[in-house]
Amino acid sequence: DENQLAALKEMILRVAEHDSCDHVDDDPGASGLDNNAIPPHNVLLRFLRARKFDVDLATQMFLDNRHWRANGIQKANTSLRDFTTPGTSIYIDQGRIDAASEQWQFGYHNVDCDGRPVYIDRIGLCDVEKMLEIISIEEFLNWHIYQWEECLDEYFPACSLERGKLVETCLLYTSPSPRDS
């Protein structure tokens, strides 16, 4: 659609002119969210689609997201490195992760028929109180951010390469559902 292409071109220009951008990210497998680069087009398209191709709203949403990633409490930009590095503010010992996983079972498992990662959340079997005796709610949030960053950085690019086309969503499956419990 010509209007959508025009919106993408306009958003690229606006992001390029912003102070937070200092180079072009030419890695098509990159999430485009973790540095000061002008991200790949598919990243900007996600923001445009989320705001029904309103360039003003999509650009603001992208810049707000970039600011949060760099300056938010969770530091999403560094979560892939920091979550597994002892001594960092978001590190959680693997033994505690394993124990918490027994209370809330979730994670990525294989792909669906469209090549999208499948995220399984066994929320109906979750014992939140027991899990929160093992990790704090802040640690749980960091854990989820880490998993999403892993999906953006590893799973989507790998699935896209395998499928031969852009994969930028995952399939969420909850089992059993809370109402079945």
Side-chain angles (χ1 to χ4, degrees):
D1 174 301
E2 287 182 29
N3 292 334
Q4 292 177 353
L5 184 58
L8 176 60
K9 288 178 180 178
E10 178 63 25
M11 187 169 175
I12 291 168
L13 291 173
R14 290 185 189 187
V15 169
E17 293 171 352
H18 194 268
D19 295 343
S20 70
C21 294
D22 59 17
H23 65 285
V24 174
D25 189 343
D26 56 3
D27 178 1
S31 68
L33 296 171
D34 57 359
N35 58 39
N36 292 338
I38 300 167
H41 298 152
N42 64 302
V43 172
L44 296 178
L45 277 171
R46 286 201 326 253
F47 287 90
L48 281 165
R49 282 194 294 271
R51 293 296 173 246
K52 298 183 178 170
F53 285 85
D54 181 309
V55 176
D56 293 331
L57 292 176
T59 302
Q60 189 59 54
M61 182 183 187
F62 171 78
L63 294 172
D64 289 348
N65 178 273
R66 176 172 274 176
H67 179 78
W68 170 81
R69 292 178 60 77
N71 302 303
I73 294 169
Q74 289 76 27
K75 302 285 190 260
N77 278 358
T78 59
S79 70
L80 283 175
R81 179 191 68 225
D82 293 352
F83 189 79
T84 57
T85 303
T88 61
S89 63
I90 65 169
Y91 172 74
I92 304 174
D93 176 80
Q94 188 61 47
R96 291 176 60 222
I97 290 290
D98 293 344
S101 292
E102 292 176 17
Q103 304 310 317
W104 191 320
Q105 301 164 5
F106 62 90
Y108 293 95
H109 182 73
N110 218 324
V111 295
D112 69 2
C113 61
D114 293 323
R116 300 175 300 178
V118 175
Y119 183 83
I120 299 173
D121 191 339
R122 301 191 70 194
I123 195 166
L125 302 176
C126 176
D127 188 331
V128 176
E129 290 179 15
K130 284 185 180 177
M131 186 193 68
L132 291 177
E133 291 173 5
I134 301 165
I135 62 173
S136 69
I137 193 70
E138 291 81 12
E139 290 172 319
F140 181 71
L141 179 60
N142 286 330
W143 188 12
H144 269 279
I145 290 170
Y146 169 78
Q147 283 210 324
W148 182 244
E149 291 301 307
E150 196 173 45
C151 185
L152 287 171
D153 196 62
E154 296 175 25
Y155 304 153
F156 286 162
C159 290
S160 296
L161 187 62
E162 179 68 26
R163 186 75 176 164
K165 68 177 193 172
L166 182 64
V167 172
E168 57 184 349
T169 61
C170 59
L171 175 68
L172 171 63
Y173 177 74
T174 57
S175 169
S177 72
R179 67 177 176 263
D180 294 338
S181 310

